[in-house]
Amino acid sequence: MKIVIFGSGLIGRCWALLFARAGNTVQLYDKEPAQLNGALDDIESKLKGLQSSGLLQGQAVADVLKRISTTTDLDGAITGADYLQECVPDIVDLKRNVFAQLDALVEKTGNSKIILASSTSVIPASTFTEPLKHRSRCLVAHPINPPHYIPVVEVVPAPWTSPEVTAETRRILDSIGQAPVVLNCEVEGFLVNRLQFALLMEGYRLVEAGVCSPADIDTTISKGLGLRWSFMGPFQTIDLNAPGGVDDYCKRYNPGVVRVCKDFGETKDPSPETVAAINAAMREEVPFEDLAKRREWRDNRLAALAVHKLQMDQLDKASKQ
Ligand SMILES: NC(=O)c1ccc[n+]([C@@H]2O[C@H](COP(=O)([O-])OP(=O)(O)OC[C@H]3O[C@@H](n4cnc5c(N)ncnc54)[C@H](O)[C@@H]3O)[C@@H](O)[C@H]2O)c1
């Protein structure tokens, strides 16, 4: 496939390497030539990291890199392309302008079969594609950073996205080794942030109420629930937590689930004191000047987890054959 990545910042670079690793030809476009200059070096170093973890599927870094080129000729890039992944900052007016520009180029190049996917974390595609002639080709494909170690991608169609475009986007993301989840309709926060924010809000409330410390919340996830969550979701969890599976769980435990959930407090900004308490706890654990090192540590842990999950998935697959 011929892929265009529009915007060569943090996420655009990751998309470029994911598509190239799977054998596709990638053209990386940006309005800032300086960004493009830095992008290839950064992608090379990310590819080296993937290779040293065994996540390059036996390919040489140079061979994957050869499939990626940078361009400032958007007309040329869009001509004959199968899929474009937009990766500019999450500013509504910028997304509107960029998609209007892309729509005009689709018209001009006659490439009305291209898919135009936005990486936006929070803005539904209906907000920035409504007036477009080719709006049925537009949707959201939202990754999680860093997507080369966290494969899930939320695919969120606008009301006018063609079902074929949504299905084809899922197929394309599958083909590059990502794990698409497809929403049937737009919803504020999509899926990832609705689930993530529900947990975060309850964490704020518990700390604010003095029930436990910020560190206790983090330990409960990192050394507790998160261990299971790294390979199974909440429904898969409850299916195993009652002798008769999910039905049995619901009969036995849902009254308790509902009772606890009714006890949840208000949804509101945590107080400045609560934010200060969380900040103090975080800075005690990681001094401010060590945050960059800590991000590197996180990415190394994610890389190790990605390798482990790949090996376990292969064992699971083999045991089913
Ligand atoms: N950073 C994350 O953790 C993350 C995670 C998931 C999704 N996203 C989404 O990915 C998108 C990009 O985020 P990012 O973090 O990579 O941003 P970034 O700031 O790192 O990169 C944005 C790039 O877009 C380019 N750009 C800006 N305006 C442009 C224009 N008009 N034409 C061409 N290029 C233009 C910039 O030069 C820059 O290279 C956003 O929608 C964001 O919500 C980000």
Side-chain angles (χ1 to χ4, degrees):
M1 280 187 303
K2 190 178 161 197
I3 307 294
V4 182
I5 306 296
F6 188 104
S8 64
L10 183 72
I11 286 298
R13 296 168 187 198
C14 298
W15 278 118
L17 77 82
L18 285 171
F19 279 106
R21 180 179 66 174
N24 301 290
T25 305
V26 177
Q27 295 201 71
L28 194 49
Y29 169 85
D30 204 288
K31 73 170 173 53
E32 299 290 343
Q35 277 289 85
L36 286 173
N37 290 341
L40 287 179
D41 287 344
D42 189 24
I43 291 171
E44 183 173 9
S45 98
K46 286 185 167 68
L47 285 171
K48 283 182 181 158
L50 284 170
Q51 190 184 45
S52 67
S53 307
L55 294 171
L56 217 50
Q57 295 141 3
Q59 304 178 84
V61 168
D63 288 339
V64 179
L65 210 51
K66 253 193 292 193
R67 300 184 194 122
I68 305 174
S69 57
T70 58
T71 184
T72 48
D73 169 21
L74 196 53
D75 285 35
I78 286 189
T79 303
D82 300 286
Y83 182 94
L84 178 145
Q85 184 75 38
E86 167 274 307
C87 308
V88 301
D90 255 352
I91 302 164
V92 178
D93 282 342
L94 178 59
K95 300 281 188 199
R96 280 200 184 108
N97 290 340
V98 162
F99 271 77
Q101 180 189 6
L102 294 173
D103 193 54
L105 282 175
V106 168
E107 188 64 11
K108 181 176 165 198
T109 58
N111 183 12
S112 58
K113 291 286 173 247
I114 192 172
I115 292 176
L116 304 175
S118 172
S119 300
T120 177
S121 308
V122 289
I123 313 172
S126 58
T127 312
F128 53 88
T129 62
E130 185 169 15
L132 306 183
K133 176 154 188 213
H134 300 281
R135 65 184 192 171
S136 68
R137 311 298 299 170
C138 302
L139 77 179
V140 165
H142 167 228
I144 299 187
N145 188 45
H148 41 296
Y149 294 125
I150 305 183
V152 97
V153 181
E154 307 186 271
V155 176
V156 192
W160 41 78
T161 306
S162 142
E164 290 76 41
V165 166
T166 307
E168 180 62 3
T169 302
R170 184 205 282 265
R171 191 200 63 73
I172 289 171
L173 293 171
D174 269 333
S175 77
I176 63 168
Q178 297 305 95
V181 290
V182 178
L183 277 63
N184 293 322
C185 58
E186 292 182 333
V187 60
E188 179 89 57
F190 309 148
L191 207 51
V192 167
N193 281 331
R194 282 182 94 90
L195 294 175
Q196 179 166 242
F197 292 169
L199 189 63
L200 189 59
M201 186 52 68
E202 182 55 8
Y204 289 147
R205 285 189 292 245
L206 289 168
V207 171
E208 191 147 316
V211 172
C212 62
S213 69
D216 291 329
I217 300 275
D218 281 335
T219 303
T220 302
I221 301 301
S222 65
K223 295 198 180 349
L225 293 169
L227 297 184
R228 252 187 336 227
W229 286 350
S230 72
F231 61 94
M232 65 200 302
F235 298 134
Q236 291 166 324
T237 298
I238 66 172
D239 198 33
L240 301 184
N241 278 3
V246 69
D247 267 350
D248 190 21
Y249 182 97
C250 288
K251 281 188 203 110
R252 286 171 191 248
Y253 301 118
N254 271 2
V257 173
V258 171
R259 195 185 66 249
V260 171
C261 290
K262 282 187 174 161
D263 190 55
F264 286 168
E266 206 186 331
T267 294
K268 61 174 178 63
D269 248 0
S271 68
E273 293 75 25
T274 302
V275 175
I278 296 171
N279 188 47
M282 294 303 102
R283 292 295 67 82
E284 195 181 320
E285 198 178 298
V286 184
F288 191 76
E289 59 276 17
D290 290 347
L291 279 179
K293 234 184 338 174
R294 183 73 166 169
R295 287 189 190 102
E296 217 174 282
W297 168 86
R298 174 202 61 194
D299 288 350
N300 288 337
R301 295 289 298 252
L302 278 171
L305 187 59
V307 172
H308 168 74
K309 280 173 67 73
L310 185 73
Q311 287 165 349
M312 297 308 287
D313 286 349
Q314 282 163 351
L315 282 178
D316 280 354
K317 210 164 149 190
S319 74
K320 279 184 191 144
Q321 280 165 358

